PDB file of all heavy atoms in Angstrom:
ATOM      1  N   ASN A  30       3.675 -43.406  26.325  1.00  0.00           N
ATOM      2  CA  ASN A  30       4.492 -42.542  25.419  1.00  0.00           C
ATOM      3  C   ASN A  30       3.880 -42.283  24.102  1.00  0.00           C
ATOM      4  O   ASN A  30       4.509 -41.685  23.234  1.00  0.00           O
ATOM      5  CB  ASN A  30       5.845 -43.183  25.273  1.00  0.00           C
ATOM      6  CG  ASN A  30       6.707 -43.160  26.526  1.00  0.00           C
ATOM      7  OD1 ASN A  30       6.647 -42.181  27.285  1.00  0.00           O
ATOM      8  ND2 ASN A  30       7.477 -44.195  26.747  1.00  0.00           N
ATOM      9  N   ALA A  31       2.604 -42.639  23.960  1.00  0.00           N
ATOM     10  CA  ALA A  31       1.908 -42.352  22.666  1.00  0.00           C
ATOM     11  C   ALA A  31       0.550 -41.738  22.977  1.00  0.00           C
ATOM     12  O   ALA A  31      -0.049 -42.001  24.013  1.00  0.00           O
ATOM     13  CB  ALA A  31       1.707 -43.685  21.844  1.00  0.00           C
ATOM     14  N   THR A  32       0.094 -40.918  22.030  1.00  0.00           N
ATOM     15  CA  THR A  32      -1.180 -40.209  22.273  1.00  0.00           C
ATOM     16  C   THR A  32      -2.328 -41.178  22.526  1.00  0.00           C
ATOM     17  O   THR A  32      -3.160 -40.918  23.379  1.00  0.00           O
ATOM     18  CB  THR A  32      -1.479 -39.357  21.026  1.00  0.00           C
ATOM     19  OG1 THR A  32      -0.460 -38.407  20.829  1.00  0.00           O
ATOM     20  CG2 THR A  32      -2.811 -38.604  21.204  1.00  0.00           C
ATOM     21  N   GLY A  33      -2.329 -42.311  21.813  1.00  0.00           N
ATOM     22  CA  GLY A  33      -3.404 -43.247  21.948  1.00  0.00           C
ATOM     23  C   GLY A  33      -3.431 -44.025  23.264  1.00  0.00           C
ATOM     24  O   GLY A  33      -4.393 -44.780  23.537  1.00  0.00           O
ATOM     25  N   ASP A  34      -2.411 -43.792  24.107  1.00  0.00           N
ATOM     26  CA  ASP A  34      -2.349 -44.446  25.405  1.00  0.00           C
ATOM     27  C   ASP A  34      -3.319 -43.792  26.443  1.00  0.00           C
ATOM     28  O   ASP A  34      -3.487 -44.309  27.515  1.00  0.00           O
ATOM     29  CB  ASP A  34      -0.967 -44.436  25.971  1.00  0.00           C
ATOM     30  CG  ASP A  34      -0.021 -45.290  25.145  1.00  0.00           C
ATOM     31  OD1 ASP A  34      -0.512 -46.141  24.356  1.00  0.00           O
ATOM     32  OD2 ASP A  34       1.206 -45.157  25.307  1.00  0.00           O
ATOM     33  N   TYR A  35      -3.877 -42.641  26.100  1.00  0.00           N
ATOM     34  CA  TYR A  35      -4.618 -41.821  27.048  1.00  0.00           C
ATOM     35  C   TYR A  35      -6.092 -41.642  26.627  1.00  0.00           C
ATOM     36  O   TYR A  35      -6.388 -41.574  25.433  1.00  0.00           O
ATOM     37  CB  TYR A  35      -3.959 -40.425  27.226  1.00  0.00           C
ATOM     38  CG  TYR A  35      -2.565 -40.475  27.750  1.00  0.00           C
ATOM     39  CD1 TYR A  35      -1.515 -40.581  26.879  1.00  0.00           C
ATOM     40  CD2 TYR A  35      -2.321 -40.510  29.085  1.00  0.00           C
ATOM     41  CE1 TYR A  35      -0.187 -40.659  27.325  1.00  0.00           C
ATOM     42  CE2 TYR A  35      -1.000 -40.591  29.537  1.00  0.00           C
ATOM     43  CZ  TYR A  35       0.031 -40.660  28.663  1.00  0.00           C
ATOM     44  OH  TYR A  35       1.342 -40.776  29.101  1.00  0.00           O
ATOM     45  N   ILE A  36      -6.947 -41.553  27.598  1.00  0.00           N
ATOM     46  CA  ILE A  36      -8.365 -41.344  27.354  1.00  0.00           C
ATOM     47  C   ILE A  36      -8.641 -39.824  27.492  1.00  0.00           C
ATOM     48  O   ILE A  36      -8.266 -39.224  28.485  1.00  0.00           O
ATOM     49  CB  ILE A  36      -9.260 -42.123  28.351  1.00  0.00           C
ATOM     50  CG1 ILE A  36      -8.905 -43.609  28.305  1.00  0.00           C
ATOM     51  CG2 ILE A  36     -10.729 -41.905  28.051  1.00  0.00           C
ATOM     52  CD1 ILE A  36      -9.040 -44.236  26.958  1.00  0.00           C
ATOM     53  N   ALA A  37      -9.319 -39.263  26.517  1.00  0.00           N
ATOM     54  CA  ALA A  37      -9.572 -37.793  26.527  1.00  0.00           C
ATOM     55  C   ALA A  37     -10.542 -37.447  27.646  1.00  0.00           C
ATOM     56  O   ALA A  37     -11.450 -38.248  27.976  1.00  0.00           O
ATOM     57  CB  ALA A  37     -10.172 -37.358  25.182  1.00  0.00           C
ATOM     58  N   PHE A  38     -10.397 -36.303  28.214  1.00  0.00           N
ATOM     59  CA  PHE A  38     -11.362 -35.799  29.206  1.00  0.00           C
ATOM     60  C   PHE A  38     -12.635 -35.352  28.495  1.00  0.00           C
ATOM     61  O   PHE A  38     -12.535 -34.954  27.341  1.00  0.00           O
ATOM     62  CB  PHE A  38     -10.739 -34.599  29.986  1.00  0.00           C
ATOM     63  CG  PHE A  38      -9.689 -34.960  30.945  1.00  0.00           C
ATOM     64  CD1 PHE A  38      -8.333 -34.751  30.630  1.00  0.00           C
ATOM     65  CD2 PHE A  38      -9.982 -35.591  32.165  1.00  0.00           C
ATOM     66  CE1 PHE A  38      -7.364 -35.097  31.532  1.00  0.00           C
ATOM     67  CE2 PHE A  38      -9.011 -35.975  33.041  1.00  0.00           C
ATOM     68  CZ  PHE A  38      -7.658 -35.700  32.740  1.00  0.00           C
ATOM     69  N   PRO A  39     -13.772 -35.433  29.145  1.00  0.00           N
ATOM     70  CA  PRO A  39     -15.026 -34.990  28.499  1.00  0.00           C
ATOM     71  C   PRO A  39     -14.972 -33.501  28.131  1.00  0.00           C
ATOM     72  O   PRO A  39     -14.348 -32.689  28.818  1.00  0.00           O
ATOM     73  CB  PRO A  39     -16.084 -35.193  29.629  1.00  0.00           C
ATOM     74  CG  PRO A  39     -15.471 -36.197  30.556  1.00  0.00           C
ATOM     75  CD  PRO A  39     -13.998 -35.945  30.543  1.00  0.00           C
ATOM     76  N   GLY A  40     -15.602 -33.189  27.041  1.00  0.00           N
ATOM     77  CA  GLY A  40     -15.709 -31.811  26.564  1.00  0.00           C
ATOM     78  C   GLY A  40     -17.140 -31.378  26.523  1.00  0.00           C
ATOM     79  O   GLY A  40     -18.031 -31.983  27.142  1.00  0.00           O
ATOM     80  N   ASP A  41     -17.402 -30.325  25.726  1.00  0.00           N
ATOM     81  CA  ASP A  41     -18.770 -29.820  25.624  1.00  0.00           C
ATOM     82  C   ASP A  41     -19.579 -30.750  24.707  1.00  0.00           C
ATOM     83  O   ASP A  41     -19.051 -31.306  23.757  1.00  0.00           O
ATOM     84  CB  ASP A  41     -18.713 -28.417  25.000  1.00  0.00           C
ATOM     85  CG  ASP A  41     -20.089 -27.769  24.965  1.00  0.00           C
ATOM     86  OD1 ASP A  41     -20.451 -27.137  25.972  1.00  0.00           O
ATOM     87  OD2 ASP A  41     -20.771 -27.849  23.937  1.00  0.00           O
ATOM     88  N   ASP A  42     -20.881 -30.914  24.952  1.00  0.00           N
ATOM     89  CA  ASP A  42     -21.718 -31.790  24.177  1.00  0.00           C
ATOM     90  C   ASP A  42     -22.436 -31.054  23.075  1.00  0.00           C
ATOM     91  O   ASP A  42     -23.400 -31.562  22.484  1.00  0.00           O
ATOM     92  CB  ASP A  42     -22.699 -32.546  25.062  1.00  0.00           C
ATOM     93  CG  ASP A  42     -23.805 -31.625  25.634  1.00  0.00           C
ATOM     94  OD1 ASP A  42     -23.719 -30.415  25.465  1.00  0.00           O
ATOM     95  OD2 ASP A  42     -24.767 -32.201  26.253  1.00  0.00           O
ATOM     96  N   ALA A  43     -22.030 -29.816  22.767  1.00  0.00           N
ATOM     97  CA  ALA A  43     -22.609 -28.950  21.737  1.00  0.00           C
ATOM     98  C   ALA A  43     -23.902 -28.287  22.123  1.00  0.00           C
ATOM     99  O   ALA A  43     -24.515 -27.561  21.389  1.00  0.00           O
ATOM    100  CB  ALA A  43     -22.804 -29.729  20.424  1.00  0.00           C
ATOM    101  N   SER A  44     -24.363 -28.511  23.410  1.00  0.00           N
ATOM    102  CA  SER A  44     -25.554 -27.839  23.885  1.00  0.00           C
ATOM    103  C   SER A  44     -25.239 -27.026  25.141  1.00  0.00           C
ATOM    104  O   SER A  44     -26.152 -26.550  25.822  1.00  0.00           O
ATOM    105  CB  SER A  44     -26.618 -28.898  24.217  1.00  0.00           C
ATOM    106  OG  SER A  44     -26.251 -29.640  25.373  1.00  0.00           O
ATOM    107  N   GLY A  45     -23.947 -26.841  25.415  1.00  0.00           N
ATOM    108  CA  GLY A  45     -23.593 -26.077  26.614  1.00  0.00           C
ATOM    109  C   GLY A  45     -23.412 -26.885  27.867  1.00  0.00           C
ATOM    110  O   GLY A  45     -23.205 -26.314  28.942  1.00  0.00           O
ATOM    111  N   ALA A  46     -23.520 -28.212  27.736  1.00  0.00           N
ATOM    112  CA  ALA A  46     -23.362 -29.076  28.926  1.00  0.00           C
ATOM    113  C   ALA A  46     -22.139 -29.917  28.732  1.00  0.00           C
ATOM    114  O   ALA A  46     -21.624 -30.124  27.621  1.00  0.00           O
ATOM    115  CB  ALA A  46     -24.592 -29.964  29.108  1.00  0.00           C
ATOM    116  N   TRP A  47     -21.650 -30.462  29.846  1.00  0.00           N
ATOM    117  CA  TRP A  47     -20.545 -31.405  29.793  1.00  0.00           C
ATOM    118  C   TRP A  47     -21.043 -32.703  29.033  1.00  0.00           C
ATOM    119  O   TRP A  47     -22.120 -33.203  29.346  1.00  0.00           O
ATOM    120  CB  TRP A  47     -20.057 -31.815  31.148  1.00  0.00           C
ATOM    121  CG  TRP A  47     -19.216 -30.817  31.865  1.00  0.00           C
ATOM    122  CD1 TRP A  47     -19.542 -30.073  32.980  1.00  0.00           C
ATOM    123  CD2 TRP A  47     -17.849 -30.434  31.508  1.00  0.00           C
ATOM    124  NE1 TRP A  47     -18.503 -29.310  33.355  1.00  0.00           N
ATOM    125  CE2 TRP A  47     -17.442 -29.470  32.484  1.00  0.00           C
ATOM    126  CE3 TRP A  47     -16.946 -30.793  30.505  1.00  0.00           C
ATOM    127  CZ2 TRP A  47     -16.174 -28.878  32.489  1.00  0.00           C
ATOM    128  CZ3 TRP A  47     -15.734 -30.213  30.532  1.00  0.00           C
ATOM    129  CH2 TRP A  47     -15.327 -29.267  31.463  1.00  0.00           C
ATOM    130  N   ALA A  48     -20.206 -33.221  28.176  1.00  0.00           N
ATOM    131  CA  ALA A  48     -20.472 -34.550  27.618  1.00  0.00           C
ATOM    132  C   ALA A  48     -20.252 -35.588  28.706  1.00  0.00           C
ATOM    133  O   ALA A  48     -19.423 -35.393  29.632  1.00  0.00           O
ATOM    134  CB  ALA A  48     -19.581 -34.828  26.415  1.00  0.00           C
ATOM    135  N   ALA A  49     -20.936 -36.697  28.661  1.00  0.00           N
ATOM    136  CA  ALA A  49     -20.781 -37.747  29.630  1.00  0.00           C
ATOM    137  C   ALA A  49     -19.360 -38.406  29.440  1.00  0.00           C
ATOM    138  O   ALA A  49     -18.863 -38.497  28.321  1.00  0.00           O
ATOM    139  CB  ALA A  49     -21.836 -38.836  29.457  1.00  0.00           C
ATOM    140  N   PRO A  50     -18.713 -38.800  30.534  1.00  0.00           N
ATOM    141  CA  PRO A  50     -17.444 -39.464  30.406  1.00  0.00           C
ATOM    142  C   PRO A  50     -17.588 -40.711  29.538  1.00  0.00           C
ATOM    143  O   PRO A  50     -18.557 -41.442  29.590  1.00  0.00           O
ATOM    144  CB  PRO A  50     -17.054 -39.787  31.841  1.00  0.00           C
ATOM    145  CG  PRO A  50     -17.828 -38.831  32.691  1.00  0.00           C
ATOM    146  CD  PRO A  50     -19.116 -38.602  31.944  1.00  0.00           C
ATOM    147  N   ALA A  51     -16.584 -40.950  28.693  1.00  0.00           N
ATOM    148  CA  ALA A  51     -16.534 -42.162  27.901  1.00  0.00           C
ATOM    149  C   ALA A  51     -16.528 -43.390  28.745  1.00  0.00           C
ATOM    150  O   ALA A  51     -16.218 -43.344  29.933  1.00  0.00           O
ATOM    151  CB  ALA A  51     -15.341 -42.157  26.954  1.00  0.00           C
ATOM    152  N   SER A  52     -16.921 -44.550  28.164  1.00  0.00           N
ATOM    153  CA  SER A  52     -17.011 -45.793  28.961  1.00  0.00           C
ATOM    154  C   SER A  52     -15.638 -46.202  29.544  1.00  0.00           C
ATOM    155  O   SER A  52     -15.668 -46.968  30.508  1.00  0.00           O
ATOM    156  CB  SER A  52     -17.563 -46.892  28.041  1.00  0.00           C
ATOM    157  OG  SER A  52     -16.661 -47.116  26.955  1.00  0.00           O
ATOM    158  N   ASP A  53     -14.580 -45.686  29.011  1.00  0.00           N
ATOM    159  CA  ASP A  53     -13.270 -46.017  29.573  1.00  0.00           C
ATOM    160  C   ASP A  53     -12.979 -45.321  30.910  1.00  0.00           C
ATOM    161  O   ASP A  53     -12.057 -45.709  31.618  1.00  0.00           O
ATOM    162  CB  ASP A  53     -12.126 -45.642  28.570  1.00  0.00           C
ATOM    163  CG  ASP A  53     -12.182 -46.475  27.306  1.00  0.00           C
ATOM    164  OD1 ASP A  53     -12.154 -47.734  27.420  1.00  0.00           O
ATOM    165  OD2 ASP A  53     -12.306 -45.920  26.206  1.00  0.00           O
ATOM    166  N   TRP A  54     -13.797 -44.310  31.213  1.00  0.00           N
ATOM    167  CA  TRP A  54     -13.728 -43.692  32.540  1.00  0.00           C
ATOM    168  C   TRP A  54     -14.544 -44.483  33.510  1.00  0.00           C
ATOM    169  O   TRP A  54     -15.785 -44.607  33.367  1.00  0.00           O
ATOM    170  CB  TRP A  54     -14.216 -42.233  32.494  1.00  0.00           C
ATOM    171  CG  TRP A  54     -13.304 -41.274  31.819  1.00  0.00           C
ATOM    172  CD1 TRP A  54     -13.389 -40.839  30.541  1.00  0.00           C
ATOM    173  CD2 TRP A  54     -12.114 -40.684  32.382  1.00  0.00           C
ATOM    174  NE1 TRP A  54     -12.355 -39.961  30.272  1.00  0.00           N
ATOM    175  CE2 TRP A  54     -11.565 -39.890  31.361  1.00  0.00           C
ATOM    176  CE3 TRP A  54     -11.497 -40.777  33.616  1.00  0.00           C
ATOM    177  CZ2 TRP A  54     -10.358 -39.109  31.578  1.00  0.00           C
ATOM    178  CZ3 TRP A  54     -10.327 -40.048  33.814  1.00  0.00           C
ATOM    179  CH2 TRP A  54      -9.772 -39.225  32.785  1.00  0.00           C
ATOM    180  N   VAL A  55     -13.976 -45.063  34.547  1.00  0.00           N
ATOM    181  CA  VAL A  55     -14.641 -45.976  35.506  1.00  0.00           C
ATOM    182  C   VAL A  55     -15.020 -45.157  36.740  1.00  0.00           C
ATOM    183  O   VAL A  55     -14.155 -44.599  37.410  1.00  0.00           O
ATOM    184  CB  VAL A  55     -13.725 -47.145  35.842  1.00  0.00           C
ATOM    185  CG1 VAL A  55     -14.444 -48.037  36.859  1.00  0.00           C
ATOM    186  CG2 VAL A  55     -13.356 -47.940  34.619  1.00  0.00           C
ATOM    187  N   ASP A  56     -16.305 -45.164  37.059  1.00  0.00           N
ATOM    188  CA  ASP A  56     -16.815 -44.571  38.281  1.00  0.00           C
ATOM    189  C   ASP A  56     -16.517 -45.470  39.470  1.00  0.00           C
ATOM    190  O   ASP A  56     -16.938 -46.620  39.492  1.00  0.00           O
ATOM    191  CB  ASP A  56     -18.334 -44.315  38.139  1.00  0.00           C
ATOM    192  CG  ASP A  56     -19.005 -43.758  39.339  1.00  0.00           C
ATOM    193  OD1 ASP A  56     -18.334 -43.488  40.367  1.00  0.00           O
ATOM    194  OD2 ASP A  56     -20.243 -43.582  39.296  1.00  0.00           O
ATOM    195  N   VAL A  57     -15.759 -44.965  40.465  1.00  0.00           N
ATOM    196  CA  VAL A  57     -15.361 -45.808  41.585  1.00  0.00           C
ATOM    197  C   VAL A  57     -16.497 -45.933  42.583  1.00  0.00           C
ATOM    198  O   VAL A  57     -16.359 -46.752  43.501  1.00  0.00           O
ATOM    199  CB  VAL A  57     -14.101 -45.263  42.282  1.00  0.00           C
ATOM    200  CG1 VAL A  57     -12.930 -45.187  41.316  1.00  0.00           C
ATOM    201  CG2 VAL A  57     -14.383 -43.939  42.974  1.00  0.00           C
ATOM    202  N   GLY A  58     -17.620 -45.210  42.459  1.00  0.00           N
ATOM    203  CA  GLY A  58     -18.726 -45.437  43.326  1.00  0.00           C
ATOM    204  C   GLY A  58     -18.636 -44.663  44.587  1.00  0.00           C
ATOM    205  O   GLY A  58     -18.044 -43.578  44.699  1.00  0.00           O
ATOM    206  N   TYR A  59     -19.273 -45.289  45.641  1.00  0.00           N
ATOM    207  CA  TYR A  59     -19.357 -44.592  46.953  1.00  0.00           C
ATOM    208  C   TYR A  59     -17.968 -44.414  47.611  1.00  0.00           C
ATOM    209  O   TYR A  59     -17.078 -45.264  47.441  1.00  0.00           O
ATOM    210  CB  TYR A  59     -20.234 -45.414  47.900  1.00  0.00           C
ATOM    211  CG  TYR A  59     -21.711 -45.424  47.537  1.00  0.00           C
ATOM    212  CD1 TYR A  59     -22.341 -46.676  47.471  1.00  0.00           C
ATOM    213  CD2 TYR A  59     -22.415 -44.267  47.359  1.00  0.00           C
ATOM    214  CE1 TYR A  59     -23.768 -46.719  47.136  1.00  0.00           C
ATOM    215  CE2 TYR A  59     -23.760 -44.306  47.052  1.00  0.00           C
ATOM    216  CZ  TYR A  59     -24.442 -45.482  46.908  1.00  0.00           C
ATOM    217  OH  TYR A  59     -25.749 -45.565  46.659  1.00  0.00           O
ATOM    218  N   SER A  60     -17.843 -43.331  48.335  1.00  0.00           N
ATOM    219  CA  SER A  60     -16.628 -43.093  49.144  1.00  0.00           C
ATOM    220  C   SER A  60     -17.006 -42.948  50.575  1.00  0.00           C
ATOM    221  O   SER A  60     -18.210 -42.906  50.937  1.00  0.00           O
ATOM    222  CB  SER A  60     -15.964 -41.810  48.668  1.00  0.00           C
ATOM    223  OG  SER A  60     -16.743 -40.664  48.981  1.00  0.00           O
TER     224      SER A  60
END
Side-chain angles (χ1 to χ4, degrees):
N30 290 324
T32 300
D34 293 344
Y35 299 90
I36 306 302
F38 289 104
D41 186 87
D42 69 353
S44 69
W47 284 111
S52 59
D53 294 303
W54 287 101
V55 178
D56 177 1
V57 302
Y59 291 128
S60 68

